[in-house]
Amino acid sequence: MGLAVGLACCFIILLFVRHEFSFDRFQARYDRLYRLNYTPRFAFDQPLGVAQPVAAAYLATEFPEVERVARVYGRGASLAVERPGQPERQFEENKFFFVDSTLVDMFSFKFLAGDPRTAFTGKYQVVITDEMARKYFDQEPALGKTILFAKNTPLVVAGVIEKYPTNSHIQFDFLANYETMFALESPVARANLNQNWVIGHSYMYVLLKPGQSAAAMDAKFPEFLNRHLPEQFRGQVDYALEPMAKLHLETAAANNPEPVGNLTTLYVLVGIAVLTLLIACINFVNLSTARSLKRAKEVGMRKVLGAYRGQLVGQFMGESVLVGSVSFGLSLLLMLAALPAVNSLIDRQLSLWGVFTDPLLLLLFFGIFGLSILLAGGYPAFFISRFKPTETLKANFAGAKAKGGWLRQALLVGQFAASILLIIGALGVYKQMQYLQNKPLGFDKDHLVVAGLASQNINNIFNKPSDSLYQRMRSFMNELKQSPGVVAAAMSSNTLGQGSVRRGVVPEGKKPEDNLFLSWVAIDYDFLNTYGLKLAAGRNFSEEFPSDLKEGFIINETGARAMGWNTAEEALGKGMNLEGKKGRIVGVVRDFHSEALTQPLVGLLFDLTPSQMNVLSVKLQADNLPQTLEQVGAKWNKFFPGKVFEATFLDQALAQLYQDQQRLGKIVGYFAGLAIFISCLGLFGLISLFTQQKIKEVGIRKVLGANLGQIVYLLSRN
C-alpha cells in the first residue's frame, strides 16, 4: 500500500510536469513561431506580451527574416443569437479575438466546417469553436448562422474549428478578422490605433523563415524603433522576440492571454515527487529487512542444502518484483480514481490513457517503477542472502540488536525528516496564503458587487465621452440608490485590485520628455465613499464643483512622491496634463493596493471621464443578498439591454488573483499528508513486527511484575 501510494503520487506529478512542458507543441510551425514583446522602459521595466498594432506592417516589410506577421487582439463581447420560435439567448464572452488573416498560415487550426482560405478574410465574419457551436446552436449546423455582436452588429459564422487543447498558451472561442475590430470602433479610435507607437494593444506573432535567427532580428530592433518612434520615446522602448517554447513556463512578460506556468513550481513538485517516492521506498526496505529476519533460518537451511548466494538474491528480488508489480498496478488504479479531483484542483485535463500514447512518459513510468523496485528490493535481497548458515541456525536474528537494526532506524529518521520537510513547506505556503487573503488592502471589499457596464475593450480609452451614455448611467445610478438593500453605488473604468491602464502625465514642474506614467482609473463622484478610501489631503470629487468634470484630478500618496512632491499637502492645487486633459489636483488618497499584493504599490491617478466608466460597483447590505442582486439585475436590463448582467463579489474576484498560490498550497498540503500517511504505515508495520519479536519478553516481564506503562515504553522508546 505504501509503495502504491508513493508511486501514484510520483506518477501524477510526472503527468502534470510532462503536460506543462508540452505547451503549444501541437503547432506545426512551433519551432519558428515567436511573439513580439514590448518593454516601455519609460513606464516600467517588465516586458509586455502585447505590442502596438501599427508595427505589424513595418515588421513584414522591413525584416527579410520574417515570413508572416499576425496581430491578435482579445476583448470581451456581449453576444446574442436569435432563433425562430425561441427567446433570444445572450452571453458575455471573454475569449473573443480579432486576428489577421495570416494567422491561419501560422497557427494550426483543425476546421470542422468552412473554408480556411476565406474564413478569416471577410469583414463581419466569425470563426467559432465546436464548443461554442454547441452552446449557441445546439445540434444545428452553425455554418452560415448569425451571431449578434453587442446586439447591433450581425456576424456570420464562416467556419467551425476544433477547440485548442488545454496545453495551449492562448485559448480561442471566437475569431473575427482584424479589420472588423476597426469597423466596430469610432473613427477616433481607428485613427489612434493606426498611428500610436506607445500603447501595447495586440499580441503580435511572427513566423520566421527557415534558418533565420531571432537574435539577429532582435539586434535590428533599436535602429528600427529609432526610425518610427516619436522622438521623446526613442531609446526608452525595447522589442524582443520570445519563442513560443517559452511562452508558458519561462516568459517574464505581463499581459499574457492565459495564466502562465512557473518553472520553480515544477521543480518544487518534482522534489515532492522524489521525496514521496523515497519515503515509500524506505518503507519497503524497512519492512522487507524486518520481515527477512524471521526468514534467517530459511536462508541458512537453503545454503546448507547447496543454494548459491545468487540464487537467493534472485529469489528475494523476484519476490520484491512480484510485490512491486502489484503495487504498480494498484498505483495506476489510484491514479485513475484521483485524476478527476486533481484536474479540478489544477484546472487541467490530465488523463491516464495519455500515458500510453506518449512513449517518453511510458518509458519514465516503467523506469521509475524499475528504479524503485531496485532501490526497495535490492538491499533486502543482498542483506538476507549474506547470512551465514552457522549464525542463522543458532543466533536470535529477531532480537532488538539484530543485523540491519541501525539501518532501519536511520532510514526511519530520514523518512520522517523528509515528511517534516514537506509539512514545513505546506505550513509556509499556508501562512503566505493567509497573509494574502487577510492583509488589509486599504479599501473595503466586503459585500461589494462588481459588474461590467460594457465589455472589456482597451479601445475605449481612445473614444470621446458620450453625453447621452453618461446621462443614462447617471439615471441608472440614481434609480439604483433608491433600491432597498443598496448601501452605495459607483462607476469606474476597472475593478480595484485587478490592475489598471498606465497613462502619460506631465505634472507641474516637469516636461513631456520626462515620460512619467501613472496607473489611471476613471471614477465617478461616489467611488471613494463606496470603496471606503481615505483622503490624506484635499477633497473628493463633487458635483458642487462643476470644474471637476473637466479638470479635476485625485492621486495617491505614491503618485505624489513619483511626481516630486514630498507630502500630500504639497501636491494639492498643483497643475497636471493627462494626455491633453489639463487640470489640477483636488485631493490625495492614502495608499492602497490597487493591484495584486504580489505587485508593489504604484502611483495612481483618478479623474472623471464618463466614457471610460465600464464597471459598476454596488455596496449591499448583508441581508437578502440574492433578492437585492435580482433587483439590481432588473434595473440593469432596463438601462443596458445590450449588455449581459454578470455580477461578481469583489472579495471572490480578488481571491482569483492568487489561484496559483492557492493551488500550490493545496498540492503541497495534500502530498505532505500522503507522505505522513506513508511514513505512519511504515512505522506501524515496524512496531507490529517488533512487538511480535518481543512477545515472549513481554510475557516474562509481566510475570515479573511489569505494568502496562513499562511495556508500552519498552516497545515505543526507539
Side-chain angles (χ1 to χ4, degrees):
M1 177 59 72
L3 188 59
V5 173
L7 285 170
C9 291
C10 186
F11 289 161
I12 287 172
I13 290 177
L14 186 64
L15 198 60
F16 173 67
V17 170
R18 174 64 172 161
H19 178 272
E20 292 298 284
F21 277 105
S22 72
F23 262 67
D24 296 309
R25 293 184 183 271
F26 64 90
Q27 299 282 4
R29 299 165 184 82
Y30 168 82
D31 57 333
R32 293 194 287 134
L33 276 169
Y34 295 80
R35 185 181 70 190
L36 182 68
N37 287 345
Y38 159 57
T39 307
R41 285 186 283 106
F42 51 82
F44 38 77
D45 291 329
Q46 185 179 14
L48 304 176
V50 289
Q52 308 91 328
V54 66
Y58 297 98
L59 289 174
T61 57
E62 297 186 18
F63 290 88
E65 298 92 343
V66 174
E67 182 176 317
R68 291 278 193 280
V69 177
R71 297 166 295 183
V72 176
Y73 172 63
R75 57 160 291 179
S78 280
L79 304 178
V81 60
E82 296 176 343
R83 302 168 69 188
Q86 296 186 24
E88 180 185 77
R89 300 169 69 189
Q90 195 171 0
F91 305 94
E92 184 68 20
E93 303 291 354
N94 58 8
K95 298 187 188 302
F96 194 107
F97 290 88
F98 295 95
V99 302
D100 283 318
S101 58
T102 50
L103 192 72
V104 75
D105 299 318
M106 300 167 63
F107 281 24
S108 299
F109 295 105
K110 183 178 180 181
F111 269 77
L112 305 177
D115 187 347
R117 294 169 298 178
T118 59
F120 293 107
T121 56
K123 276 187 187 179
Y124 306 114
Q125 291 184 171
V126 65
V127 175
I128 65 177
T129 64
D130 52 343
E131 183 181 292
M132 291 299 108
R134 291 189 294 271
K135 177 178 176 179
Y136 280 75
F137 305 106
D138 297 326
Q139 301 304 316
E140 297 179 13
L143 200 65
K145 296 285 198 318
T146 298
I147 295 175
L148 284 176
F149 186 97
K151 265 207 164 179
N152 54 30
T153 304
L155 301 176
V156 177
V157 177
V160 179
I161 58 174
E162 188 176 273
K163 186 175 177 63
Y164 269 1
T166 56
N167 59 340
S168 171
H169 82 279
I170 187 168
Q171 292 289 337
F172 304 111
D173 281 339
F174 299 85
L175 293 162
N177 186 275
Y178 201 83
E179 295 301 316
T180 307
M181 179 198 71
F182 289 118
L184 294 172
E185 300 297 341
S186 67
V188 175
R190 287 199 295 271
N192 268 291
L193 285 169
N194 281 320
Q195 62 187 14
N196 193 297
W197 281 90
V198 176
I199 296 179
H201 177 277
S202 300
Y203 304 108
M204 197 168 302
Y205 294 95
V206 177
L207 178 67
L208 295 185
K209 293 175 181 176
Q212 294 299 322
S213 163
M217 192 167 165
D218 284 346
K220 298 178 181 178
F221 280 140
E223 192 273 331
F224 168 79
L225 290 168
N226 282 336
R227 284 203 312 272
H228 295 289
L229 283 174
E231 187 173 350
Q232 73 181 86
F233 296 108
R234 291 174 188 170
Q236 299 187 59
V237 170
D238 294 329
Y239 273 178
L241 292 180
E242 186 167 33
M244 185 170 275
K246 293 185 176 182
L247 293 183
H248 179 64
L249 285 177
E250 298 179 63
T251 185
N255 295 75
N256 294 287
E258 295 288 329
V260 296
N262 187 300
L263 269 178
T264 303
T265 299
L266 294 188
Y267 293 147
V268 168
L269 290 176
V270 169
I272 290 172
V274 171
L275 280 178
T276 307
L277 188 59
L278 184 63
I279 289 168
C281 288
I282 288 173
N283 257 12
F284 200 91
V285 170
N286 275 343
L287 294 174
S288 296
T289 53
R291 285 179 65 252
S292 66
L293 296 173
K294 300 182 72 173
R295 301 177 66 181
K297 291 185 178 180
E298 175 194 338
V299 172
M301 287 299 296
R302 286 180 180 274
K303 283 194 171 183
V304 167
L305 294 174
Y308 295 108
R309 187 180 179 187
Q311 291 174 312
L312 294 170
V313 169
Q315 175 195 341
F316 289 112
M317 276 299 294
E319 292 177 7
S320 294
V321 169
L322 182 62
V323 174
S325 298
V326 174
S327 301
F328 181 75
L330 189 56
S331 72
L332 297 182
L333 292 177
L334 288 172
M335 276 185 69
L336 199 60
L339 276 177
V342 172
N343 285 333
S344 176
L345 174 63
I346 63 176
D347 194 25
R348 294 288 187 265
Q349 295 177 1
L350 305 181
S351 168
L352 178 60
W353 312 120
V355 175
F356 302 103
T357 58
D358 187 332
L360 178 60
L361 209 52
L362 201 61
L363 184 64
L364 284 171
F365 268 42
F366 281 103
I368 288 171
F369 164 65
L371 184 63
S372 62
I373 291 302
L374 189 63
L375 289 173
Y379 177 77
F382 285 96
F383 172 75
I384 299 169
S385 63
R386 68 185 175 89
F387 292 162
K388 295 178 180 179
T390 55
E391 293 178 351
T392 58
L393 294 175
K394 64 182 180 180
N396 179 20
F397 269 71
K401 299 184 182 298
K403 292 182 178 181
W406 66 269
L407 179 65
R408 288 198 302 279
Q409 292 183 6
L411 290 176
L412 200 63
V413 169
Q415 186 181 50
F416 273 89
S419 300
I420 290 167
L421 182 65
L422 286 176
I423 292 172
I424 291 170
L427 288 175
V429 176
Y430 172 77
K431 296 286 281 184
Q432 176 72 356
M433 285 312 307
Q434 290 294 102
Y435 175 81
L436 290 174
Q437 290 171 356
N438 298 327
K439 177 176 169 56
L441 301 176
F443 61 88
D444 185 4
K445 58 182 171 49
D446 295 330
H447 305 125
L448 251 175
V449 171
V450 293
L453 287 163
S455 299
Q456 176 274 326
N457 181 16
I458 197 176
N459 292 336
N460 288 334
I461 66 173
F462 299 116
N463 293 321
K464 290 183 177 179
S466 167
D467 291 335
S468 62
L469 176 62
Y470 179 64
Q471 292 305 322
R472 183 153 48 112
M473 289 192 293
R474 294 300 298 165
S475 299
F476 169 62
M477 295 296 290
N478 290 334
E479 188 169 322
L480 192 62
K481 290 172 186 176
Q482 307 304 316
S483 302
V486 174
V487 177
M491 292 178 294
S492 60
S493 57
N494 57 277
T495 305
L496 285 192
Q498 296 190 314
S500 53
V501 175
R502 299 287 180 101
R503 295 187 66 177
V505 296
V506 184
E508 187 178 306
K510 301 285 185 180
K511 299 177 182 178
E513 292 76 21
D514 292 326
N515 293 331
L516 183 61
F517 280 72
L518 296 182
S519 290
W520 165 85
V521 183
I523 64 173
D524 70 355
Y525 300 100
D526 302 308
F527 186 85
L528 298 190
N529 293 332
T530 301
Y531 277 83
L533 295 173
K534 306 298 182 184
L535 284 164
R539 61 174 177 83
N540 189 8
F541 293 135
S542 173
E543 292 182 282
E544 295 178 3
F545 296 88
S547 60
D548 284 356
L549 184 62
K550 299 293 184 183
E551 55 186 44
F553 295 114
I554 294 176
I555 60 175
N556 68 347
E557 294 170 305
T558 298
R561 290 190 292 271
M563 290 186 281
W565 302 309
N566 296 321
T567 65
E569 289 76 12
E570 188 181 345
L572 288 179
K574 293 293 195 295
M576 183 185 296
N577 186 333
L578 171 66
E579 298 178 357
K581 179 179 179 178
K582 298 178 180 179
R584 294 194 173 276
I585 297 171
V586 301
V588 180
V589 297
R590 296 196 183 279
D591 278 338
F592 65 94
H593 291 275
S594 60
E595 299 184 10
L597 285 169
T598 51
Q599 302 298 320
L601 284 169
V602 296
L604 190 63
L605 170 68
F606 292 131
D607 80 336
L608 293 161
T609 307
S611 68
Q612 304 301 318
M613 297 179 189
N614 296 326
V615 177
L616 166 72
S617 301
V618 185
K619 182 80 170 175
L620 304 177
Q621 292 179 356
D623 301 329
N624 300 321
L625 286 176
Q627 184 179 353
T628 306
L629 269 179
E630 190 177 337
Q631 293 172 359
V632 173
K635 287 182 170 59
W636 175 287
N637 294 330
K638 173 183 171 184
F639 284 90
F640 306 103
K643 175 69 176 70
V644 179
F645 178 65
E646 287 192 329
T648 305
F649 282 95
L650 182 60
D651 55 353
Q652 295 176 357
L654 294 176
Q656 296 295 313
L657 298 175
Y658 312 112
Q659 269 190 337
D660 288 344
Q661 291 94 330
Q662 288 174 334
R663 286 171 181 163
L664 178 61
K666 288 180 179 177
I667 290 169
V668 173
Y670 291 149
F671 281 107
L674 286 172
I676 293 298
F677 170 72
I678 297 170
S679 298
C680 290
L681 276 182
L683 187 62
F684 177 78
L686 283 175
I687 290 175
S688 299
L689 286 168
F690 187 62
T691 304
Q692 280 185 346
Q693 294 164 4
K694 293 276 187 177
I695 284 177
K696 290 182 179 179
E697 180 182 340
V698 169
I700 293 170
R701 286 179 180 271
K702 281 195 170 185
V703 167
L704 296 175
N707 60 33
L708 182 63
Q710 291 171 321
I711 299 300
V712 170
Y713 175 72
L714 169 73
L715 297 176
S716 63
R717 63 186 180 186
N718 280 349

